[in-house]
Amino acid sequence: EQISQFADAILYLSLISGRNPQFLIDEHVKSAPIIYKLSIEPIPTAYILLDGGNKSSVQIASDTNPIPLENHEMILAHSLAGQFLGKIMLFLDCGSGAVKHATSEVLQYIKPHLNIPIIVGGGIKTYKSAGMLSSSGADYIVIGSKIEELPSRDELNSITDAIHRG
């Protein structure tokens, strides 16, 4: 229902930290024919919901308990499972409007074990946070809620510069 014919590609997310079959396979089965018909490139992505300090819309909609940020072993196990299942990207997300974001400790712990790029999103509001995550192993940074605040061009440039320096 949310697939645009104008998209070039789509993160084909598998909520591997959840146990709800609707988001483990059902939604994929429904969307696959649409994506195929529209010739949109699917990017198989392991999606892991982390605890960002508040109840996210993903948590509510999927009935998924987020993984605590301090549980590095569980985050690594889910990350490896996603890689072993053939996902070509990993998305660590604390959810839109999160109070906390993934930590440098989490990234430094899991990065050496993975051969796929890591996307980090949720709760990233400053150029310092974006730079820290980038220098700790995040390959891509998502700052969706921050963009919705319509920050100044200078503020966006500061975030972008911090990511590229990382």
Side-chain angles (χ1 to χ4, degrees), residues 5-158:
Q5 65 183 2
F6 302 107
D8 296 317
I10 188 168
L11 290 179
Y12 205 58
L13 301 175
S14 292
L15 181 57
I16 63 170
S17 61
R19 300 299 180 260
N20 183 336
Q22 179 182 357
F23 298 99
L24 289 172
I25 191 64
D26 290 350
E27 294 298 323
H28 302 85
V29 171
K30 283 193 254 180
S31 64
I34 299 165
I35 292 168
Y36 179 78
K37 180 181 175 188
L38 295 174
S39 297
I40 298 171
E41 176 189 0
I43 302 170
T45 305
Y47 182 89
I48 298 174
L49 183 61
L50 301 175
D51 186 358
N54 60 355
K55 204 163 196 167
S56 70
S57 56
V58 173
Q59 182 179 355
I60 294 165
S62 67
D63 194 26
T64 297
N65 291 323
I67 299 174
L69 288 170
E70 59 277 356
N71 196 335
H72 297 174
E73 283 296 322
M74 184 178 282
I75 297 168
L76 176 59
H78 281 80
S79 301
L80 288 170
Q83 179 175 289
F84 296 164
L85 285 167
K87 308 306 179 196
I88 63 171
M89 303 277 282
L90 172 68
F91 194 151
L92 300 175
D93 191 15
C94 288
S96 295
V99 179
K100 303 181 288 186
H101 56 71
T103 63
S104 59
E105 292 81 14
V106 166
L107 288 165
Q108 291 168 352
Y109 188 80
I110 68 171
K111 183 74 172 183
H113 305 284
L114 299 174
N115 299 318
I116 58 176
I118 300 173
I119 304 167
V120 178
I124 305 162
K125 297 174 180 70
T126 67
Y127 74 90
K128 288 181 182 178
S129 293
M132 179 273 301
L133 292 167
S134 181
S135 66
S136 297
D139 297 287
Y140 301 94
I141 307 288
V142 175
I143 55 168
S145 295
K146 185 67 179 173
I147 296 288
E148 291 172 8
E149 295 174 11
L150 300 174
S152 70
R153 180 178 293 270
D154 288 341
E155 191 174 1
L156 284 177
N157 285 342
S158 295

